[in-house]
Each structure stands twice: as structure tokens, then as C-alpha cells.
Amino acid sequence: MKRFAQVGLLVLGGLGLLHTSLFTDEYLRLVKAGMRPLLVASGVVLLGLGVTEAWASRRRPDQHDHDSGHGHEGEREEGGGGHGHDHSGVPRVAWLLFLPVLSLLFYAPPALGSYTASREPAKAVAVQEDAFDPLPATSPLPITLTDFTQRVQQDKSKAIAGRAVVMTGFASPAAAKDDGWYLTRIIVSCCAADASSVKVLVHGVAAPKSDTWVNVTGTWHAGGTLGTSSAAVAVDARGVVKVRKPSNSYMDALPLG
């Protein structure tokens, strides 16, 4: 690839990373919040390399032309008629490298949502080794989807029975055999490539449009034996309220407000 194209890729890549990670929250659609310093550092490095390469190129044009002249003369002498080949052109496919770089500046891909969640089973939540703490008396009780799942399937005290809870997530479709729809959260360990989902099946209310973020208020939907792995991770909803999508959607957080 010609030098000016290499410089352009480095500079645009650096500017794109800095724009996405410093001036917007769009980087949270791809990686965890803790990765921000690394993105900023990478942007600074790419921009610095691009500027350095551009400066070096300005200081070497005469030497480059001189070397090129000797090279062409040698080709004519050895080839007996100037049949040397110029390989300095940029392969057409190489220009496609600019597309992902420009997307950092002008278009950020949407965060993962119902399309991804509907194509994989719910994540198996971790086993709670210690005894569960008593639940606060608040009603409805704000709780994450992960904590609700653990309480339903692991809490031998069955403290969740009959308790009104409120959880936040986005709507995703359930399988045809299921009566209801899923309240869903997508969780990442590092970046969108390792995403997994946690889901609670919602009964009793019509499903919102897929990817709509909502607060769901309800009680545990009886099914299986509460406090064991056979218990249904589901709620009988008595209220669904549309809420704003959180800026950091790749975490299982308590409802706001």
C-alpha cells in the first residue's frame, strides 16, 4: 500500500478510537467500561504513528526519488527494453480497510440485543456458596435478573415466594412452546464477542416490541420446586413500564428510579 494510504489508515484509526472512547459512550456497545483506558491509549499510539510516518515521509522525498531513478535505470539496462514491473500500486481490496476505520468516526454498530439473545440459551448463573442474606422489606423489591434466578433456584429459605419484585431488561421473543416472552440482559466478560444472556420468562402481559427496555413488576411464577434447579425462572407480571436504555447495557444492573 502506498505510504499516504498507510498514514491515512493510522491517523483515521487513531482519531476514530479517540472519538469513540473519549467523546461518546458508543464504545460500550463493543467492550466493557473498564476497557476505555486501553482504547484511549491505542488511539494515541495509532495517531502518533501516523503523524510520525507522515513527518518522516516529508523528509525523505528526494532520497526516494533518487533511489527510484536508479532502480528504473537498472531495470532498463538489465531488461534490455524497459520491461520492469511497478508493484507500488495499492490492491483494490486494501481500500476496504478504510471502511471499519471510518465507521469509528461516523457510524457505530448497534449494541447486541434480542437477535443475539434469541439464538442462544440463557447463561447458567453461578452457584451461591454462602447462605443468602435476608431480603429487604421494600416492595416491590428491586433485583437483578441474575439474583432473581439464584433466589428462585438456590435459596432453600424460599424467601422470594410471594414477594413482588421489579427487574429491568429488554424484551426478546420466547420459543414457540413457551407461553410468554423474555426479559433479557446481555452480559460481557471483556467484549461483545464473549457475550452471554440471562433471561426471565414473563407471563401475564403482552410482549413489548423486541429490544424495548422495560421495568417488569411481578411475583414468581410457580413451576417446579422453589429453591431447586427445577424451579421456573419466570414471573407473573402485573406491570410493565417502558424505560430508557442504559448507556452501559452489557451488565445486569438494578432498576433505576
Side-chain angles (χ1 to χ4, degrees):
M1 182 177 287
K2 288 186 177 179
R3 193 176 300 277
F4 81 90
Q6 295 172 340
V7 170
L9 277 174
L10 289 170
V11 171
L12 289 175
L15 290 176
L17 283 176
L18 292 175
H19 167 76
T20 301
S21 57
L22 280 179
F23 304 110
T24 75
D25 290 328
E26 292 174 350
Y27 73 98
L28 293 174
R29 302 178 186 180
L30 301 172
V31 298
K32 293 181 67 173
M35 300 291 288
R36 189 176 199 171
L38 295 178
L39 292 178
V40 173
S42 298
V44 171
V45 169
L46 287 176
L47 186 59
L49 288 173
V51 171
T52 300
E53 182 64 22
W55 177 256
S57 298
R58 291 187 61 184
R59 296 174 60 88
R60 294 196 301 261
D62 293 336
Q63 180 65 34
H64 176 72
D65 293 342
H66 179 71
D67 292 343
S68 298
H70 280 294
H72 290 309
E73 182 178 347
E75 288 175 359
R76 287 194 295 269
E77 290 176 356
E78 294 175 10
H83 295 293
H85 298 283
D86 182 7
H87 298 283
S88 62
V90 181
R92 291 182 180 180
V93 71
W95 294 103
L96 295 177
L97 293 173
F98 278 94
L99 296 180
V101 171
L102 292 174
S103 71
L104 290 174
L105 286 170
F106 303 110
Y107 173 77
L112 301 179
S114 61
Y115 179 86
T116 300
S118 64
R119 282 157 176 76
E120 63 174 22
K123 172 187 177 182
V125 300
V127 175
Q128 174 81 8
E129 299 290 349
D130 302 324
F132 286 87
D133 295 329
L135 289 174
T138 307
S139 185
L141 173 69
I143 193 170
T144 67
L145 276 65
T146 299
D147 289 343
F148 179 80
T149 303
Q150 289 178 320
R151 287 282 183 174
V152 165
Q153 295 192 329
Q154 300 176 32
D155 186 4
K156 303 300 182 182
S157 71
K158 303 182 180 180
I160 203 71
R163 290 296 305 270
V165 298
V166 56
M167 297 175 285
T168 298
F170 62 85
S172 64
K177 63 182 178 64
D178 294 321
D179 177 24
W181 51 278
Y182 282 117
L183 183 68
T184 308
R185 285 278 197 165
I186 287 182
I187 304 172
V188 302
S189 299
C190 173
C191 59
D194 61 24
S196 59
S197 62
V198 58
K199 307 175 186 178
V200 173
L201 189 61
V202 180
H203 298 278
V205 294
K209 183 179 178 181
S210 292
D211 294 309
T212 301
W213 281 80
V214 293
N215 281 352
V216 172
T217 304
T219 55
W220 175 64
H221 175 83
T225 302
L226 188 61
T228 72
S229 59
S230 68
V233 183
V235 293
D236 290 316
R238 70 185 191 197
V240 175
V241 179
K242 185 177 179 179
V243 296
R244 181 182 300 177
K245 177 182 177 180
S247 58
N248 187 355
S249 60
Y250 292 150
M251 59 185 299
D252 190 13
L254 291 171
L256 296 176

